Amino acid sequence: MIPETIRRAGLSDIYEKIEAGERLSREDGLRLLSSPDLLALGVLARRVRERLHGRKTYYVLNRHLNYTNVCENRCRFCAYWRPPGDSRAYVLSPEEAVRKLSEGPPPREIHIVGGVHPELPYSYYLELLSAVKEAFPEAHIKAFTCVEIDHLARISGKSVEEVLRELKAAGLSCLPGGGAEVFSPRLRERLFPRKISAERWLEIACTAHRLGIPTNATMLYGHLETPEERVDHLLRLREAQDRTRGFLCFVPLPFQPRNTPLEGEVEPTTGFEDLRLMAVARLLLDNIPHLKAYWVFLGVKLAQLALHFGADDLHGTVIEERISEASGGREAEALSRAEIERLIRAAGFEPVERDAFYRPV
Ligand code: SF4
């Protein structure tokens, strides 16, 4: 029987499709994304989430490392990058990176990303991975967005495949999935013209998948994109996943306008919009197993609520993350294992500590 909440929201046909395990269409996605009935969306997304994961909610003991803030891409939505020579520009040597990561409890997953530095040699990236892997042999290293992989292929003169093989040999386990932004040529031109295209991002992610390197996928939303552009982004990821099955998790990232050139032009997203997008992502991405409530961007309390709107992953303990910090997008420096577990239990779910591949540990 169709729940009253769903019927009242006029979403009975979508409910029936979900119950029958049928794929939702672009039009379904657009209808869901414009629905004002957030609770009905939550009911739908929770059904899918519980079918996939029951009451389990994953988290990982992780550390973030941002090895440089120097970047030649100068994206208009980014508050993090600095030009070479800027007084606040930095690059961590492999030794400094290891030293930083050694402060605090040993991580199970190490998340490494940085700007597109115009001068660092290819050998730096291999040395960074090798040094971190040697210091933390038990940890999985999730490093470099497709944007950085493209850069490494260019500076080394090697193919993406060769670069990925060499990074894997140096200790890489998987890619974090950033840099996708929104797969819209219109927005790329306006906001991040120097960044790789959607086609290149997808090509690199799919190459990684073919080599046995899983990745996440992200979408930066809440700036100048239209509902159609959001849905099309999700559907392109779904199509790619049909071919490779290499995306582990989708991570929606709400745009943080503070300290960016868009501050004043674009308002931060609202909680309503964040939860609605979370639910729609869960419903459209029927082939990507996990959906992350990234508390670093969403805030801890909203991330906890997102568990009722399709999310099954509360990310991790996170220590030292500078990218969202630059745009004032973070309310906590880190969460302890006990805090994360308390948040998950208080929302009625069962915490499961995972590794980078979502295997329980
Ligand atoms: S979003 Fe990434 S690529 Fe763009 S300017 Fe910032 S650090 Fe550079």
Side-chain angles (χ1 to χ4, degrees), residues 48-287:
V48 174
R49 180 245 199 264
E50 287 181 0
R51 196 188 291 157
L52 289 169
H53 307 291
R55 307 302 288 173
K56 290 187 181 124
T57 294
Y58 297 89
Y59 73 94
V60 64
L61 297 184
N62 66 345
R63 296 284 308 255
H64 281 223
L65 182 84
N66 302 130
Y67 57 91
T68 183
N69 61 353
V70 176
C71 187
E72 62 185 16
N73 276 356
R74 305 168 183 205
C75 304
R76 283 197 72 224
F77 56 76
C78 178
Y80 176 66
W81 74 273
R82 295 283 172 263
D86 184 275
S87 60
R88 286 166 297 170
Y90 73 89
V91 178
L92 298 179
S93 68
E95 298 70 37
E96 286 169 326
V98 167
R99 218 169 19 252
K100 264 184 173 299
L101 291 169
S102 305
E103 297 158 3
R108 207 175 290 283
E109 177 187 287
I110 299 174
H111 180 123
I112 305 178
V113 291
V116 175
H117 195 298
E119 284 149 25
L120 284 176
Y122 178 56
S123 56
Y124 166 85
Y125 300 86
L126 295 173
E127 285 162 17
L128 177 67
L129 284 183
S130 302
V132 171
K133 191 66 189 170
E134 195 185 331
F136 303 95
E138 305 292 319
H140 290 125
I141 304 179
K142 182 198 278 180
F144 309 133
T145 64
C146 295
V147 177
E148 290 160 284
I149 300 294
D150 172 75
H151 175 68
L152 297 188
R154 278 188 287 116
I155 60 173
S156 65
K158 296 173 192 262
S159 67
V160 165
E161 188 167 331
E162 270 179 285
V163 166
L164 286 168
R165 282 188 198 284
E166 290 181 1
L167 295 175
K168 192 175 179 184
L172 179 79
S173 294
C174 46
L175 305 188
E181 318 316 353
V182 179
F183 295 148
S184 150
R186 177 186 79 87
L187 289 174
R188 177 165 174 261
E189 195 49 45
R190 173 113 195 248
L191 297 177
F192 44 99
R194 290 161 175 250
K195 211 167 222 174
I196 57 173
S197 64
E199 290 69 32
R200 180 69 169 159
W201 189 97
L202 287 164
E203 180 198 330
I204 293 172
C206 292
T207 305
H209 299 168
R210 274 205 318 279
L211 297 175
I213 302 171
T215 75
N216 286 346
T218 58
M219 175 169 76
L220 183 74
Y221 69 94
H223 40 87
L224 304 174
E225 81 288 0
T226 61
E228 288 78 10
E229 285 166 332
R230 289 184 183 182
V231 168
D232 290 342
H233 182 100
L234 297 174
L235 296 187
R236 287 188 80 173
L237 289 175
R238 188 171 80 178
E239 278 164 26
Q241 179 75 339
D242 277 342
R243 293 196 304 275
T244 66
R245 300 278 156 183
F247 291 118
L248 288 174
C249 180
F250 176 67
V251 193
L253 300 172
F255 173 56
Q256 326 268 336
R258 229 166 89 196
N259 300 332
T260 75
L262 296 181
E263 185 174 9
E265 187 181 341
V266 174
E267 294 293 333
T269 59
T270 61
F272 186 98
E273 199 181 350
D274 292 329
L275 293 178
R276 181 162 64 182
L277 196 271
M278 188 69 69
V280 174
R282 182 61 286 165
L283 295 170
L284 283 183
L285 296 175
D286 53 23
N287 54 5

